[in-house]
Amino acid sequence: MAFVFRLQGLLEQRIDLRKEAERQLIERESELASERKTLQGLEASVEAAAEHFRRRRAERSVPGAFRNMPILVQNELLLRLEMDVRDARSAVLSQQILVDQALELVVEARKVLATRRLDEDVLEKYRQKAEARFVQEQSYKEELEQDEIGNVMHLSRRK
């Protein structure tokens, strides 16, 4: 007689849930990596915009650099460049919020996966113990049968 685990369906369901949680975690980590990559790109654009602004402002103090451009136009250009830097920094802050949210989702997915693994491990250990108990009971029954056969043979020889 073969061992049949009564909760095999539940164990298989828990295995499926764990696999789904692993897939979700991989997906969330991928999203986090994507958001971080976007953040790095935005930080690089902030640095480039700030450098462009500093360069233009420094050029303004060089005599003759903007001789064909009126001062109001120069000021307006610098103001636009400064606004570009502010906008870029604002985009970085917005992206940082998205990165933080993605990180929270990763942490949550890890917690769910840990819970799913624990649920599966508990049922797997229960199955192993039940199987060991079944094997022990089968062995005990077999020993009883062997003893009974031995007793019957012994009694039949005595007669």
Side-chain angles (χ1 to χ4, degrees):
M1 186 160 109
F3 172 72
V4 177
F5 184 53
R6 295 178 303 133
L7 300 175
Q8 186 63 37
L10 182 61
L11 178 59
E12 289 171 3
Q13 180 185 17
R14 298 288 165 89
I15 290 170
D16 291 342
L17 287 173
R18 178 195 42 85
K19 288 178 181 177
E20 176 64 22
E22 287 172 346
R23 189 191 63 71
Q24 285 278 336
L25 177 59
I26 290 169
E27 193 175 295
R28 298 292 180 245
E29 287 175 339
S30 173
E31 291 170 2
L32 176 61
S34 174
E35 295 295 345
R36 282 183 172 161
K37 185 177 180 181
T38 302
L39 178 63
Q40 288 174 344
L42 289 172
E43 287 172 341
S45 69
V46 164
E47 196 56 42
E51 178 59 33
H52 188 247
F53 172 70
R54 284 190 295 269
R55 196 171 355 101
R56 288 297 219 166
R57 193 174 59 196
E59 288 173 356
R60 183 175 176 197
S61 62
V62 174
F66 291 104
R67 77 179 107 112
N68 294 336
M69 195 181 290
I71 297 221
L72 287 174
V73 174
Q74 292 176 26
N75 286 340
E76 191 174 314
L77 175 65
L78 287 175
L79 283 174
R80 273 191 261 134
L81 290 174
E82 189 176 15
M83 292 290 263
D84 289 346
V85 171
R86 287 182 186 166
D87 290 344
R89 286 185 180 146
S90 176
V92 166
L93 291 175
S94 297
Q95 186 62 32
Q96 184 61 49
I97 291 170
L98 293 176
V99 167
D100 291 344
Q101 289 173 345
L103 185 60
E104 288 175 14
L105 291 175
V106 167
V107 168
E108 184 63 31
R110 284 186 180 143
K111 287 179 184 177
V112 168
L113 178 59
T115 301
R116 300 289 188 237
R117 282 184 178 154
L118 182 63
D119 291 346
E120 179 186 350
D121 288 346
V122 166
L123 273 177
E124 183 60 34
K125 286 179 184 177
Y126 180 72
R127 186 195 66 75
Q128 290 172 355
K129 287 181 181 180
E131 185 175 13
R133 210 175 13 237
F134 174 79
V135 168
Q136 186 178 16
E137 287 174 3
Q138 289 298 92
S139 176
Y140 180 72
K141 285 179 184 178
E142 190 175 311
E143 285 179 25
L144 285 178
E145 288 176 6
Q146 292 295 326
D147 283 348
E148 186 65 32
I149 290 172
N151 285 338
V152 169
M153 288 177 67
H154 178 71
L155 290 175
S156 66
R157 284 187 194 155
R158 285 181 101 185
K159 290 184 179 181

